Amino acid sequence: MDKFDAIVIGSGPGGYVCAIKLAQLGVNVACVEGNASLGGTCLNVGCIPSKALLNASHNYHNSIENFSKMGIEVERPSVNWSKMLSYKDTMIKDNTKGIEYLFKKNKITLINGWASFVDNNTISVNGKNFEADHFVIASGSEATSLNDIKFDEQVIVSSTGALELKKIPEKMIVIGAGVIGLEMGSIYSRLGTEITILEFYDKVLNGMDHDISKNFKSILQKQGFKFHLSSSVSNIAKEKKGVKVTYEERESNNLNELYADVVLVATGRKPFTENLKLENIGVKINPKGQIETDKNWRTTTKNIFAIGDVTPGPMLAHKAEEEGIAVAEIIAGQAGHVNFEVIPSVVYTDPEVASVGKTENELKEEGIDIKVGKFSFMGNGRAKTVFSNSGFVKVIADSNNDRILGAHIIGPAAGDLIHEICVAMEFGASTEDLARTCHAHPTFSEAVREAALACGVGAIHS
Ligand code: NAI
């Protein structure tokens, strides 16, 4: 029987990062993966392929919308969909191969197959047993269906099917104005599909700062998105051609129907614990199907840890990675820690949306005396040159000590800009610290500095 110090179950961003960190810390480690390629949802059917298609569709759309404004005259470009899909597949392959290389470099044993627990020191994979002192469950999540309606991944699709459609649809209904719905909707909207979003709440990106939700909806409407908010989808039926979606307007209780070629169900994801036979080890699962852990990611069975989407908290690759590193450190006898107050979240639309820390409403509800500094990208010279000045930077700080408590951005490269504020928050910085830091001109990041200035003495360019 093969014996290891630690076995990580799952090779997504949580699992593979944890395995590498364990190896770097001198722990004899194996990683089990059931899928043929490494990288989990994020690399194979999530973050990476969607970013590839977002990039391709953005360039296509940009060439139509903006090239001639800059004096670049081209014949109207056209989309070669199958080539676009193979570009996406190449990006997946390059990234998954990269993990294979890192596993070899760090001498991590890869076990191919689905793991199930025999007891708290043993798993079985393809009928063979493997032992370890510690296990890390990083088995991720899967898309939730609506009212148990099955995804055929052709007409009724999850994000996985949406990355592989046979052709670009004329009309697409997207259920859910969350991250997946808006990112996938953006891809197809830019490629010419009519996008109609149905959302249960009265806003997009529910849970984000209210200014973000409000402004982002109007930006997307200008891009051609149609919205039916406060609408609850009750049924999806396949038609001879396409699909019929029935939804209820929550205020009036009116039932309506919409037709499209494809419906994307983006109503959230649920933990993936199939095959694991957790009942054999007594690991506690909560009513949402998530594996419960203590603050050190130990499950109710002490030598078994759980990280990432299979546990409570935001389903974000980088949150899983942080947890993977912390757990590896704990297993290696070090202190592992994650600051959950400073986990950024990014929506990779155009413009991007990024957020860190608390929202204005959350802080008000907590009774904290806050000040808010906002700066529009209208006042940012660089944003104008790239035709992307419809967003803003909003910085929120404690009125008593000027400490930064949150930031919310819609704008060009928002997903990169947010990290300046993450670092500032990690160091307990004030808005004055940010405002007194010299920012290169002309950069998008000047808008962050201006928003910090707006929290105090006032922005220069507004
Ligand atoms: P989500 O939870 O972000 O959004 C789902 C939306 O669907 C909610 O607004 C909800 O109100 C709505 N909804 C649910 N049932 C409905 C119904 N019957 N009728 C109408 N609307 C309904 O889930 P999403 O977008 O599927 O994403 C899943 C997870 O993946 C999230 O945790 C997300 O953070 C993560 N993710 C993160 C990405 C990123 O960081 N860029 C990219 C993709 C996914």
Side-chain angles (χ1 to χ4, degrees):
M1 188 191 304
D2 295 63
K3 170 113 182 43
F4 298 89
D5 297 335
I7 294 179
V8 180
I9 300 172
S11 71
Y16 88 74
V17 168
C18 182
I20 292 172
K21 189 71 189 176
L22 280 163
Q24 287 175 342
L25 293 171
V27 176
N28 176 24
V29 58
C31 180
V32 194
E33 175 54 62
N35 281 322
S37 64
L38 300 177
T41 299
C42 177
L43 264 73
N44 292 284
V45 287
C47 326
I48 296 299
S50 63
K51 260 81 268 174
L53 290 183
L54 278 160
N55 179 45
S57 60
H58 171 70
N59 278 303
Y60 169 69
H61 188 252
N62 199 32
S63 69
I64 294 170
E65 288 291 304
N66 295 323
F67 272 21
S68 82
K69 289 185 202 162
M70 298 182 281
I72 305 170
E73 303 298 355
V74 287
E75 299 268 310
R76 193 181 163 89
S78 60
V79 175
N80 181 333
W81 181 233
S82 70
K83 212 165 168 185
M84 207 177 265
L85 290 180
S86 47
Y87 147 72
K88 175 224 22 160
D89 292 336
T90 309
M91 295 303 113
I92 297 172
K93 219 173 263 163
D94 281 1
N95 279 283
T96 55
K97 291 271 171 241
I99 304 177
E100 279 173 30
Y101 160 77
L102 290 172
F103 270 24
K104 279 196 191 114
K105 183 181 161 202
N106 287 285
K107 300 189 175 49
I108 296 163
T109 303
L110 175 63
I111 305 168
N112 280 117
W114 299 102
S116 52
F117 281 98
V118 177
D119 59 45
N120 70 330
N121 286 113
T122 317
I123 52 165
S124 163
V125 183
N126 297 329
K128 185 176 173 194
N129 283 0
F130 297 87
E131 267 190 18
D133 297 330
H134 304 280
F135 287 92
V136 182
I137 303 173
S139 51
S141 61
E142 59 182 341
T144 48
S145 67
L146 199 73
N147 302 343
D148 289 331
I149 297 162
K150 286 224 162 27
F151 295 113
D152 65 5
E153 300 297 11
Q154 312 248 345
V155 176
I156 304 172
V157 300
S158 68
S159 53
T160 303
L163 292 164
E164 297 247 305
L165 292 180
K166 291 223 163 65
K167 59 177 193 161
I168 299 166
E170 276 174 34
K171 286 184 182 188
M172 180 188 258
I173 295 169
V174 176
I175 309 176
V179 190
I180 292 182
L182 299 183
E183 286 185 3
M184 294 305 310
S186 291
I187 291 171
Y188 287 101
S189 168
R190 293 168 193 166
L191 298 177
T193 304
E194 183 189 302
I195 302 290
T196 305
I197 306 252
L198 292 165
E199 166 56 46
F200 181 84
Y201 289 106
D202 60 357
K203 52 171 91 75
V204 308
L205 295 177
N206 181 51
M208 280 225 174
D209 191 89
H210 62 97
D211 278 337
I212 293 274
S213 296
K214 200 169 138 220
N215 281 271
F216 196 48
K217 184 188 155 214
S218 81
I219 288 173
L220 290 173
Q221 273 172 322
K222 280 186 200 136
Q223 291 178 9
F225 280 62
K226 292 185 179 153
F227 287 99
H228 295 280
L229 301 181
S230 301
S231 297
S232 178
V233 172
S234 51
N235 199 30
I236 302 171
K238 269 175 85 166
E239 299 278 286
K240 243 190 194 152
K241 193 175 167 285
V243 68
K244 176 174 85 176
V245 175
T246 310
Y247 68 98
E248 184 185 304
E249 287 173 9
R250 291 176 59 221
E251 270 171 29
S252 63
N253 293 120
N254 283 346
L255 275 183
N256 291 323
E257 286 166 354
L258 283 174
Y259 294 82
D261 307 307
V262 173
V263 60
L264 164 64
V265 182
T267 52
R269 298 179 62 85
K270 60 180 182 201
F272 180 66
T273 52
E274 229 175 275
N275 313 306
L276 285 174
K277 294 203 178 145
L278 296 177
E279 63 280 7
N280 289 346
I281 46 169
V283 162
K284 192 178 159 202
I285 289 188
N286 70 20
K288 289 181 177 164
Q290 297 158 327
I291 299 179
E292 288 283 346
T293 67
D294 66 12
K295 65 177 180 14
N296 289 322
W297 300 275
R298 282 183 202 273
T299 67
T300 41
T301 304
K302 292 296 164 210
N303 68 320
I304 297 175
F305 296 79
I307 57 169
D309 285 10
V310 79
T311 62
M315 288 184 168
L316 296 170
H318 45 281
K319 176 248 187 193
E321 287 181 34
E322 290 304 298
E323 292 180 329
I325 288 172
V327 164
E329 288 169 337
I330 291 169
I331 291 174
Q334 301 181 358
H337 174 73
V338 176
N339 180 3
F340 287 102
E341 299 295 313
V342 187
I343 305 262
S345 71
V346 179
V347 190
Y348 298 88
T349 42
D350 183 31
E352 290 182 350
V353 176
S355 172
V356 66
K358 301 246 166 86
T359 66
E360 186 175 345
N361 286 343
E362 280 169 346
L363 290 163
K364 281 183 179 157
E365 274 162 28
E366 286 176 22
I368 298 173
D369 191 9
I370 54 166
K371 53 185 178 173
V372 175
K374 254 177 101 172
F375 185 79
S376 163
F377 276 100
M378 292 290 238
N380 179 275
R382 182 70 182 279
K384 282 200 176 114
T385 65
V386 298
F387 311 108
S388 185
N389 54 6
S390 50
F392 60 85
V393 178
K394 174 174 177 175
V395 173
I396 311 174
D398 190 322
S399 299
N400 298 310
N401 55 21
D402 196 29
R403 192 177 172 136
I404 301 164
L405 300 175
H408 310 279
I409 308 175
I410 301 180
D416 290 302
L417 296 183
I418 199 73
H419 294 94
E420 170 179 1
I421 297 164
C422 295
V423 173
M425 286 175 73
E426 281 290 354
F427 281 80
S430 63
T431 66
E432 188 178 348
D433 291 325
L434 211 52
R436 287 191 182 276
T437 303
C438 181
H439 285 65
H441 176 76
T443 57
F444 304 132
S445 72
E446 288 172 288
V448 174
R449 182 191 188 207
E450 292 272 26
L453 275 168
C455 274
V457 291
I460 303 286
H461 295 89
S462 67

